[in-house]
Amino acid sequence: MKVLVVGSGAREHALAWKLSQSPSVKQVYCLPGNAGTAQVATNLEGKVDDLDGIVSVALAQAIGLVVVGPEDPLVRGLVDKLRAAGIHAFGPDSTGARLEGSKSFSKELMREAGVPTAAFRVFTQADEAERYVREAKRPLVVKADGLAAGKGVVVAQDTQEALAALHLIMRERAFGEAGDTVVIEECLQGQEVSYHIVSDGERYVALAPAQDHKRVGDGDRGPNTGGMGAYSPPPVVTPDVERKILERVVEPTLATMKRRGTPFRGTLFVGLMIHEGEPMVLEYNTRFGDPETEVIMARWDGDVLPLLLGSARGDLRGVETRWAAPSALCVVMAAAGYPGSYAKGREITGLDRVSSDAVVFHAGTSQQGEQIVTSGGRVLVVTATGDDIDQAAARAYAAVSSIQFEGAQHRRDIGHHARSR
């Protein structure tokens, strides 16, 4: 079978890397891919927002399965178009993708399903939202309703910060139509974790929990980013907590989607806050997380194709998770200035010096002649497995020390909740 992975980041590199190891996969393609995916797949020209173009490429290449990485083409209906053309596609249709594409839609569904989440209000008028914030006088979370490339959520510690977020989203229109509506939530306390399941519309397969690190600086300081590293499994997700996540969150969510006549297929990635053993939902995502995918794929034992193809076909019977490594950890190497403005085109050296107990997934790279250069804010995701988080961290950070590019930055405390040193 030929498989096409849509996207250009480290998540897509990790998926292509794992799919390339499948004995049932004849060829992996990536559209558009990056310098890293070119090492395990064939990169194809195209843009992730050209839905009809992707369908045409899949038909021309006789693709048996399309795996959609980013959220935007899912929300815009890429899977709907692929299925209409008779092509198996991994990911939700546009209705299922609304769980990520609209914060208000997802919060209303949580309320209907009885899923534990923060109290919230939805606003379409800036004046009303600002009045609510002034009267609240407490920490709040302000969210743009639509997709905002991970930048439309502000955890405001005081009234002025919340008002500034509303001004940015609703008046300055920093995220365009995504800010037509805002959701304002109570601020939750605890440890944030990521939980992924894969569903076929009837059944689901639970994957390993992970913990991302959103802030750019050590000690969880500085502005939010797309993620500066992750590890799996986090100790805060005990067997009892995991049971609660499945029984109180995953199963009611899938049951409610099915009851509405819109069964969910694909990855349901639940962002959770865990406080004193109790999970509360922060948000739904409807694709694999990044950088969580990197550690999940590094731990995965065996062939991942049956999981993705089974979901796409609507039949996950017989698919089980097996973990080859007890732990995995990844460190993002980012460009200087990220998550603000940053330079591109910096040569990356030392990739050939990384030892075999680590793997480097490319996030924002391109090939210029014989050189691999930076092309994004998050540049590389250096990943390693181990018998525990300490060993995985030691291996990942040793690999990071082998790689250089001008202005490279990374956090030195990834996995700090689980590391003993």
Side-chain angles (χ1 to χ4, degrees), residues 144-354:
D145 182 63
L147 297 179
K151 299 177 182 178
V153 176
V154 176
V155 181
Q157 298 303 315
D158 55 39
T159 299
Q160 289 307 310
E161 198 173 351
L163 289 172
L166 286 172
H167 186 81
L168 179 72
I169 294 169
M170 300 194 82
R171 296 196 186 277
E172 293 186 6
R173 313 293 292 170
F175 308 111
E177 293 180 359
D180 287 349
T181 300
V182 296
V183 175
I184 302 179
E185 298 179 352
E186 298 297 314
C187 191
L188 299 176
Q189 302 298 317
Q191 281 194 51
E192 191 171 343
V193 300
S194 305
Y195 199 91
H196 292 70
I197 65 97
V198 171
S199 175
D200 63 5
E202 294 286 338
R203 295 155 288 268
Y204 70 88
V205 174
L207 306 186
Q211 188 167 60
D212 187 12
H213 298 64
K214 290 292 187 187
R215 301 282 184 173
V216 72
D218 289 352
D220 296 320
R221 295 184 176 89
N224 271 329
T225 71
M228 293 299 292
Y231 71 100
S232 174
V236 71
V237 184
T238 64
D240 183 56
V241 168
E242 186 165 24
R243 177 187 59 79
K244 292 175 182 176
I245 293 170
L246 294 175
E247 292 180 356
R248 300 180 187 178
V249 177
V250 171
E251 291 169 7
T253 299
L254 296 177
T256 301
M257 289 294 286
K258 184 178 179 181
R259 186 170 63 249
R260 287 182 169 191
T262 55
F264 183 89
R265 274 203 240 173
T267 302
L268 182 66
F269 157 23
V270 188
L272 298 141
M273 192 70 80
I274 310 297
H275 181 63
E276 296 181 349
E278 297 299 322
M280 298 279 284
V281 176
L282 297 171
E283 64 179 0
Y284 293 126
N285 296 290
T286 59
R287 36 72 193 181
F288 281 112
D290 190 354
E292 294 94 340
T293 302
E294 289 86 297
V295 292
I296 291 173
M297 289 298 105
R299 290 187 63 200
W300 185 271
D301 183 16
D303 193 350
V304 77
L305 180 66
L307 177 75
L308 306 181
L309 186 59
S311 171
R313 288 177 169 171
D315 188 359
L316 279 169
R317 285 175 295 186
V319 177
E320 297 178 350
T321 51
R322 298 193 309 273
W323 305 109
S327 302
L329 182 143
C330 68
V331 180
V332 171
M333 298 184 70
Y338 177 79
S341 59
Y342 51 85
K344 300 180 182 180
R346 305 302 193 214
E347 182 184 3
I348 304 168
T349 61
L351 291 169
D352 57 343
R353 294 195 294 271
V354 173

Side-chain angles (χ1 to χ4, degrees), residues 91-135:
D93 59 18
S94 56
T95 302
R98 286 193 73 195
L99 286 172
E100 178 167 5
S102 171
K103 300 292 192 303
S104 57
F105 175 86
S106 66
K107 292 291 285 191
E108 294 292 353
L109 185 132
M110 290 179 212
R111 181 150 55 192
E112 180 182 337
V115 168
T117 189
F120 69 98
R121 292 278 301 275
V122 178
F123 296 92
T124 58
Q125 300 297 321
D127 289 345
E128 293 180 13
E130 289 167 350
R131 185 161 50 249
Y132 174 77
V133 165
R134 288 191 181 96
E135 293 172 355

Side-chain angles (χ1 to χ4, degrees), residues 30-46:
C30 287
L31 188 157
N34 57 41
T37 60
Q39 298 169 12
V40 296
T42 299
N43 287 346
L44 300 174
E45 291 187 6

